[in-house]
Structures are given as structure tokens and as C-alpha cells.
Amino acid sequence: MIPSLMPTYNRADIAFERGEGAWLFTSDGRRFLDFGAGIATSSLGHGHPHLTCAIAEQASRVMHVSNLYRVPQAERLAARLVDASFADSVFFCNSGAEANEGMVKLIRRAMHGLGQPARTRILCFEGAFHGRTLAMLAATGNAKYLEGFGEPVAGFDHVPLGNLNAVRNAITPHTAGIIVEPIQGEGGVRTCDPRFLRELRTACDEYGLFLGFDEVQCGMGRTGRLFAHEWAEVRPDVVSSAKGIGGGFPLGAILATEEVARHLTPGSHGTTFGGNPLACAAGNAVLDVVLAPGFLDGVGCLGDQLAEQLGGLVADNRDIFAGVRGRGLLLGLECVASNAALQAACLEEGLLVVAAAQNVLRLAPPLVITQADVDEAITRLQRAAARLRRQ
Ligand code: PLP
């Protein structure tokens, strides 16, 4: 008989009752070091006092009012994101897929507003993951996810990541923009060469296209900068955000330059929940921590440290691991053994990690971890490798 909770996930048979920092606890007293962070989402870890107080306090005042009225928490969050980024204006929604849908709508609408309504197609990359709505499945382009859902939504073309010639060859008079993850998360923690991102900007300028970055997974401080594209010093037109922006509370955002954003006029796009007082109170609390002086530098340093120690782990276990990739606290362990078997062995050793494509084991811990957490994760990974070897 089908479970009452629709079985769309192969869930591990474990449930957490409570969390503290980078640790999660079960009701029978077991504890797990969380280096998955709810898939790069619990950016402040679990039970962070500033975030939980902000949510509780806002919930007791007013949670939801609709976007028919001013929402001061959203105005403040948008202003802070604008101050801290390339963007001139922000639209709030509830998830990564929704932010990406909005990003595509924004790009198409801007082309329409600029008198080029035939330019609707978006160039995406092989290995991408942009979400599970019908249009974002088409943008993702992965046959496995598209199977059984009928004709893919039209308007998306795909080329290999990092191949500028392929990008240029794929641009047609119908192309409106390019969307890329500066680091592909689900795709295997594949980091775009900064030069490639800059070359995309050049191509967009040359052909009059908009450049969109999907920073749902790699953004909001995860690489040691607020947004991962900042490392490449490249100016986007639109960026999507979600996951870490609410620290575990559902929140997404589309950040855009005025040139693009001005085309979304009243009535052209909307949401019931997006940017409500509760979600934006969470977003503001996350920003209080992430934008505090020195925090992002700390994330970068700890990421470097983790990468270095993972390098040592790889050297000690060449039969299990092949290398390290990624940036900041979005790192991937390239596996020789099966990443799924390793993920299971890590769970046995009390370490939560997340498998990704290309046989990679993804580490995306809360941004508030300490050196002691890093050392503990390495110890548990060593044990997981030994466990796998014994099996
Ligand atoms: N974009 C990227 C880069 C992602 O990693 C994800 C989720 O993993 C999404 C979009 C979809 O986000 P959501 O699951 O919140 O819709």
C-alpha cells in the first residue's frame, strides 16, 4: 500500500528530533554531524538563537499579510541585498525552482519590453540543476528527471559546461539569455572557471543577451563571498537565490539590475507567500550573521582548511577517494568507490553528507561550523572509508 506521505524520496530510516549548531540528534540519543545542512540550506546550522528568536518574535506579531500591502521586513531585506550585491531590485518567492522560473520570466519579459519578443530561448548547461517545476525540468534538461512528464517545456537549449565555442554556436536570433550555476551543485560540485563566466558576459554583451546566475545552492555566503560569481568579478543581469537565504525557512529571491527588473510591472508576476513578514524576518536574521564583519572571510578560511584536510584524506585513501573539488563550504569528494555506498557508510559513522552527480560526495555544512567540526568530519570520513573497505 502506498505510504500516506507520497514516496518521492528514498529516505534514510532516521528522524531527527532536535539540532544544535552543526549537530542533529535523534530521540534515542544518537547524534550526527550535519555536513549536508539540509542540502546547503541550514546556513546558520540548527537552533541558531538569533534566527529562531527572529522567527518566533515575528510569528507572534504577524506572519502573513499578502503583497497587497507594504511589508517592511521585505523592503528592508531587499534594500540590504541591493546594498550588498550587483542588484538594483529584488523579488521574493519561496523556493529555488520558483526563483529560477521568475528569472526566466524576467529575461523573456525584458526582451519583450525591449521590442524583441521573438527572443525567448534560454541557453543552459549540461549537468545543470534548476528545479522540478515543468519549465525548470526543461531548463535542467536531464532525461532522468524529465521521464514520464510529457513534452518538455519549449525554449531551452543545452551546451557542455565550460565550452565557449559551443555557447557561441548555440546562440540564435531567438536566444534571450544564458543561465548558469557558477558552481553546479547537484551536477557534482563542478566549479566554472572564472574566465568562462567572464567570457559568457562578453558573449552576452556582444549578442545583446541577459546573463543569469543560478546561485540557489552556491550563493548566500557559501563560497566565502555573498555570491559565488563575485570571485570571477563578473556582472550578472539576474541572479536567483534560495536555500541558505532563509537559513531553513522557505524563502527564495530574484535579484536583478534595473535594466531588467523594470520590465516586471505591477500585475506581471506575483506570489501569495513570497516575501511575507515571517520569511523576510528569517532572511534578515540570516543576513545579520552572514554580513557581519569578518563572517564571510571566516567561511572562506574554513573552506580552505576543510579542502586541505580533505586533500589529506584523499591521499590516505586513494582506493576510496580520487580528489577534491569546489570552493568555500561547497566541496565535493570525488569517489573511486560508489558515492552512495560512501554516503551510507558516513551515516553509519554519524556524519551526514549528500551524494551528487559524477560519483561525488558533497559536503555543504552550515556556514557557522568550527575547526573542531571540520576535524570531527575528517575523522568520521576516515572511519567511513575504513568501514567501506571492510565491507
Ligand atoms: N537551483 C539549484 C542550483 C539547486 O541546487 C536547486 C535545488 O537543489 C534548485 C535550483 C531548486 O531549488 P528548490 O528545491 O528550492 O526548488
Side-chain angles (χ1 to χ4, degrees), residues 39 95-98 100 129-131 181 186 214 216-217 242-243:
I39 319 186
S95 69
E98 206 185 338
N100 284 330
F129 185 78
H130 296 301
E181 295 157 78
E186 305 300 309
D214 177 345
V216 166
Q217 186 155 160
K243 288 189 179 281

Side-chain angles (χ1 to χ4, degrees), residues 111 119 123 125 163-172 175-178 195-211 234-235 237:
M111 280 299 178
R119 297 181 80 163
L123 208 53
F125 291 91
N163 186 335
L164 191 73
N165 285 340
V167 169
R168 286 179 169 271
N169 287 339
I171 293 171
T172 74
T175 307
I178 299 176
R195 202 180 61 195
F196 177 64
L197 296 181
R198 288 194 290 273
E199 286 168 344
L200 289 182
R201 175 77 269 170
T202 306
C204 283
D205 290 343
E206 200 176 311
Y207 290 96
L209 311 178
F210 293 117
L211 180 60
V234 58
R235 177 185 54 80
D237 299 295

Side-chain angles (χ1 to χ4, degrees), residues 279-293:
C280 290
N284 275 307
V286 169
L287 271 196
D288 290 341
V289 174
V290 168
L291 294 181

